[in-house]
Amino acid sequence: MYANHKELTLRGIILGALITVIFTASNVYLGLKVGLTFASSIPAAVISMAVLKFAKDSNILENNIVQTQASAAGTLSSIIFVLPALLMLGYWTGFPFWQTTILCIAGGILGVIFTIPLRYAMVVNSDLPYPEGVAAAEILRAGEQDTSDDTPAQSDASTGAKDIVIGGALSGIVAFLTGGLRVLADSAGYWFKAGSAITQLPMGFSLALLGAGYLVGVAGGIAILLGIIIAWGAAVPMLTSMTPQPSDVEMSAFAMKIWKENVRFIGAGTIGVAAIWTLLTLMKPMIEGLKISMQALKGGNSSNLSRMDQDLSPKAMIGWTVVMTLLLAVSFYQFVADASLPAGLAWLLVLVCTAVTFIIGFLVAAACGYMAGLVGSSSSPISGIGIISIVVISLILLLVGNAYPQLLTTGDGKFVTALALFCGSAVLCVATISNDNLQDLKTGYLVKATPWRQQVALMIGVVVGALVISPILELLYKAYGFTGALPRPDMDASQALGAPQATLMTTIAKGIFAHNLNWDFILIGVLIGAVLIVADTLLRKTSAGKYSLPVLAVGMGIYLPPTINMPIFIGSVLAWWIKNRITKNSAAAQRERNLKLAERKGTLFAAGLIVGESLIGVIMAFIIAASVTTGGSDAPLALKLTNWDNIAQWLGLLAFVLAIVILSRRVLSSAKTSA
């Protein structure tokens, strides 16, 4: 089947590259703003079907290659969880193009290579669900159906693309009114005090976060809500009641200071222990995956394998591995050379960082692939792996520094911290693409694609994504700045991108080298995480896996600002409510079909909400950067309205509610139409 279909075509590569650029920009912006990225495979598949239907001889395998290539946008952009930390540290003043690009290319392609030997064990001969991979395959199959079927190919693809466009237009308009004209507020909060204890009732109005919550699912949403309650219902009120409030500091500013300097470390501890527990639970499949990797490299590919069993050859894999490892070494050499260290120490650091990146990347590749198969690429605790990597790398470099004290004092002590963060960025590139590759290969396996062509397509996606990450980061930094790193002193700090994971990575790395990490609150978070892990384990056992409490999401609920967490929670509850309503109102014969149609439409509309707001953020960055360059304002389109704050908050709430209504009606109508 499909033996004569074209797969890796020039038009598909060009289309995949365009989608990769757009979704990379969206993911970088979203990740810097709230610490989340979205999987780009499903919307890329829909866009590909809608565009290539006008081309001659387009087919399911060609569309699959496009989504495989574009999936790199949703994963490689996760490097922003660490890399901006170099600016927050004050070591970089921008993003060097070649250093950043080479790092992303080398790490990303190694991520592809490391997971290829796992394909048979984890994709072909495995019962892992691969939720996003299966969903992408279902969408591709729907687009391939005959026009005589109930859901004709052209209308199915066109309708899916329409959902993305409508969602994108809606969130884009709201984002322009919020971040451009600034006539809508992006959040609101009601602060109150009981005795000397302070807390708040928060709300955020971001439609991108509403869409992200819709994709997260109700279990993740409830876990995030629990994190909010721990932070703002317990920790902040308790600490503010124990700490005298300065007379010249407002209530809200005082409470936020307590949260930033203390409570966030509780979230960091919870995130860290959740990530470690995940890796421990995956130890057995990870060891099995390593064994399979070694066996595959020894055995080689047989020339008589069928098309659907052909991976890149072991010789090609070894060649790519050697070249990418050398590229990593070049990237580290460029970084170390700027510090003017003695030649012997400089080369030692290059060798140590290259070896550490290779070994840790190889070890986490199987774990990341397994996590992607278990919970999907979007829900995998990649940031947790980043935290563990930073801790391990920092401790290794600290040992080197104890042997060579000059290392710890170079650049006022900033260099060794920056090197740990730079090395951690490389590990994260390996981890994220490892996480993505097996998900794509599952989609390909279901639609009977050729594995080696998918692997080549993902490498192309890595290169395209790597080429645009540095310019996008540079643009966003100059336009908005990051929390703790503003390029100009006169900038509006309230508009800075939070980059929450990068902030956390900076704090951890600095604390390890300075021996002043806030361990008390981190250990409290570890204890909370351990208790929640036990609760999650018991919940899964007693409910036969029906219910769960994702501990990593609880940690994010504590760590992220509540105005970011609340719309995510609302989006997850909205998805749950829609699903229950369709289940209740559908006839038994149509229930499963209606749920699938609703899930697909909701997923695409939610992806549109994310893409629309993110792209407007990037476009506004161009406008702001141009204005600042010519001596203008960093809010060039803002309408200067007096006494508008309360009105802006009510309008922001109204737009948020309107988006909920539109999303609900559109998804529910798909079920009614098919009934």
Side-chain angles (χ1 to χ4, degrees):
M1 188 178 182
Y2 305 142
N4 297 321
H5 283 8
K6 295 180 179 178
E7 288 187 67
L8 199 59
T9 63
L10 178 60
R11 67 191 181 194
I13 291 173
I14 294 173
L15 177 59
L18 293 174
I19 297 174
T20 300
V21 170
I22 294 171
F23 283 174
T24 298
S26 301
N27 267 307
V28 168
Y29 175 80
L30 187 69
L32 289 172
K33 185 175 182 181
V34 301
L36 296 170
T37 57
F38 66 96
S40 48
S41 293
I42 292 174
V46 173
I47 293 172
S48 176
M49 289 189 295
V51 173
L52 290 183
K53 72 178 183 181
F54 297 106
K56 184 180 179 181
D57 299 331
S58 65
N59 62 81
I60 188 172
L61 299 186
E62 188 177 19
N63 288 321
N64 176 58
I65 287 292
V66 173
Q67 73 83 19
T68 298
Q69 182 180 336
S71 68
T75 49
L76 190 62
S77 54
S78 295
I79 193 175
I80 53 90
F81 291 165
V82 182
L83 205 59
L86 291 166
L87 281 77
M88 297 174 177
L89 184 66
Y91 190 79
W92 276 0
T93 57
F95 294 93
F97 176 77
W98 284 114
Q99 277 189 341
T100 304
T101 302
I102 291 173
L103 191 76
C104 290
I105 290 174
I109 291 180
L110 282 177
V112 177
I113 300 301
F114 287 165
T115 45
I116 289 174
L118 305 177
R119 184 183 68 85
Y120 184 78
M122 289 193 179
V123 173
V124 178
N125 191 27
S126 170
D127 57 357
L128 289 171
Y130 287 98
E132 290 161 4
V134 172
E138 289 297 322
I139 288 172
L140 289 168
R141 285 169 172 168
E144 189 74 1
Q145 292 175 10
D146 293 332
T147 55
S148 59
D149 192 54
D150 292 344
T151 53
Q154 290 190 358
S155 63
D156 189 82
S158 300
T159 302
K162 186 177 180 181
D163 290 323
I164 296 177
V165 170
I166 293 175
L170 177 62
S171 67
I173 291 170
V174 172
F176 179 70
L177 294 174
T178 302
L181 300 183
R182 301 196 180 180
V183 295
L184 304 183
D186 60 358
S187 63
Y190 175 69
W191 293 87
F192 52 93
K193 200 170 186 179
S196 56
I198 304 171
T199 189
Q200 66 165 315
L201 185 64
M203 185 58 208
F205 306 136
S206 167
L207 300 191
L209 296 180
L210 177 69
Y214 194 96
L215 299 176
V216 163
V218 71
I222 291 174
I224 285 175
L225 179 63
L226 178 58
I228 297 173
I229 293 171
I230 291 172
W232 292 93
V236 172
M238 186 182 299
L239 291 173
T240 51
S241 67
M242 296 165 56
T243 310
Q245 179 183 345
S247 57
D248 59 340
V249 178
E250 292 185 0
M251 177 175 63
S252 59
F254 174 63
M256 289 300 295
K257 183 174 184 292
I258 292 291
W259 171 74
K260 288 179 180 178
E261 295 180 356
N262 299 290
V263 178
R264 292 189 88 173
F265 284 96
I266 298 176
T270 304
I271 291 170
V273 76
I276 292 171
W277 173 251
T278 302
L279 290 178
L280 288 175
T281 58
L282 299 175
M283 190 60 67
K284 183 179 178 181
M286 185 166 69
I287 293 173
E288 290 176 353
L290 293 176
K291 290 180 180 178
I292 295 169
S293 297
M294 300 309 297
Q295 290 171 0
L297 291 177
K298 290 178 181 178
N301 279 347
S302 174
S303 58
N304 60 0
L305 289 176
S306 69
R307 177 183 60 82
M308 292 178 290
D309 291 324
Q310 295 175 4
D311 293 297
L312 286 175
S313 68
K315 185 181 293 186
M317 290 167 59
I318 292 172
W320 279 108
T321 300
V322 170
V323 172
M324 292 304 113
T325 303
L326 290 174
L327 272 184
L328 272 182
V330 169
S331 183
F332 288 128
Y333 177 79
Q334 288 180 328
F335 193 90
V336 172
D338 294 337
S340 301
L341 291 168
L345 178 57
W347 280 109
L348 174 64
L349 291 175
V350 171
L351 291 173
V352 167
C353 289
T354 304
V356 166
T357 301
F358 187 93
I359 293 169
I360 296 178
F362 187 67
L363 290 174
V364 302
C368 289
Y370 187 87
M371 287 188 292
L374 193 64
V375 298
S377 299
S378 299
S379 302
S380 297
I382 290 296
S383 57
I385 287 176
I387 292 172
I388 295 171
S389 300
I390 292 296
V391 171
V392 172
I393 292 166
S394 297
L395 292 175
I396 290 172
L397 290 178
L398 186 61
L399 290 175
V400 177
N402 291 335
Y404 298 88
Q406 180 183 354
L407 174 62
L408 301 178
T409 58
T410 299
D412 296 326
K414 290 181 179 179
F415 168 73
V416 67
T417 307
L419 181 60
L421 294 168
F422 190 71
C423 187
S425 298
V427 172
L428 205 65
C429 286
V430 177
T432 55
I433 295 298
S434 299
N435 190 266
D436 177 55
N437 189 30
L438 291 179
Q439 196 83 246
D440 289 329
L441 290 173
K442 181 65 174 183
T443 302
Y445 174 69
L446 293 174
V447 301
K448 305 186 185 305
T450 308
W452 75 263
R453 289 189 172 95
Q454 281 191 277
Q455 292 149 14
V456 170
L458 187 56
M459 290 183 189
I460 295 172
V462 166
V463 173
V464 173
L467 288 171
V468 299
I469 282 178
S470 175
I472 293 170
L473 281 170
E474 187 76 23
L475 173 68
L476 294 175
Y477 171 60
K478 290 182 177 178
Y480 300 109
F482 306 142
T483 298
L486 299 179
R488 298 177 301 280
D490 60 337
M491 292 186 69
D492 182 359
S494 66
Q495 298 298 314
L497 298 172
Q501 277 95 342
T503 304
L504 176 60
M505 306 295 181
T506 306
T507 304
I508 290 174
K510 287 172 64 177
I512 288 174
F513 289 110
H515 304 285
N516 62 0
L517 196 58
N518 200 338
W519 286 108
D520 290 342
F521 288 101
I522 289 177
L523 291 175
I524 291 172
V526 169
L527 179 62
I528 291 173
V531 172
L532 292 173
I533 286 170
V534 173
D536 178 49
T537 303
L538 293 174
L539 188 61
R540 290 175 186 270
K541 286 184 177 180
T542 55
S543 66
K546 185 177 180 182
Y547 301 108
S548 64
L549 182 65
V551 181
L552 187 73
V554 178
M556 296 301 287
I558 300 171
Y559 182 79
L560 291 176
T563 53
I564 286 174
N565 283 320
M566 283 304 293
I568 296 175
F569 166 69
I570 291 172
S572 70
V573 173
L574 178 63
W576 169 81
W577 175 79
I578 289 174
K579 180 179 179 180
N580 280 357
R581 181 161 180 179
I582 291 173
T583 301
K584 182 179 179 181
N585 295 338
S586 298
Q590 290 290 325
R591 188 170 298 145
E592 184 177 352
R593 175 180 172 79
N594 286 350
L595 286 173
K596 284 185 177 180
L597 286 170
E599 181 181 3
R600 177 177 180 276
K601 186 173 284 289
T603 297
L604 295 174
F605 196 94
L609 291 177
I610 295 171
V611 172
E613 180 174 321
S614 302
L615 288 181
I616 289 298
V618 174
I619 292 169
M620 284 303 305
F622 278 105
I623 297 172
I624 293 169
S627 172
V628 171
T629 302
T630 57
S633 166
D634 61 356
L637 304 181
L639 302 179
K640 309 298 183 182
L641 303 174
T642 57
N643 301 320
W644 191 255
D645 289 349
N646 287 336
I647 297 174
Q649 289 181 359
W650 283 107
L651 290 176
L653 177 61
L654 178 62
F656 188 77
V657 172
L658 180 63
I660 291 175
V661 172
I662 293 173
L663 171 57
S664 302
R665 288 176 64 88
R666 190 161 182 84
V667 176
L668 290 171
S669 67
S670 67
K672 289 180 181 178
T673 301
S674 66

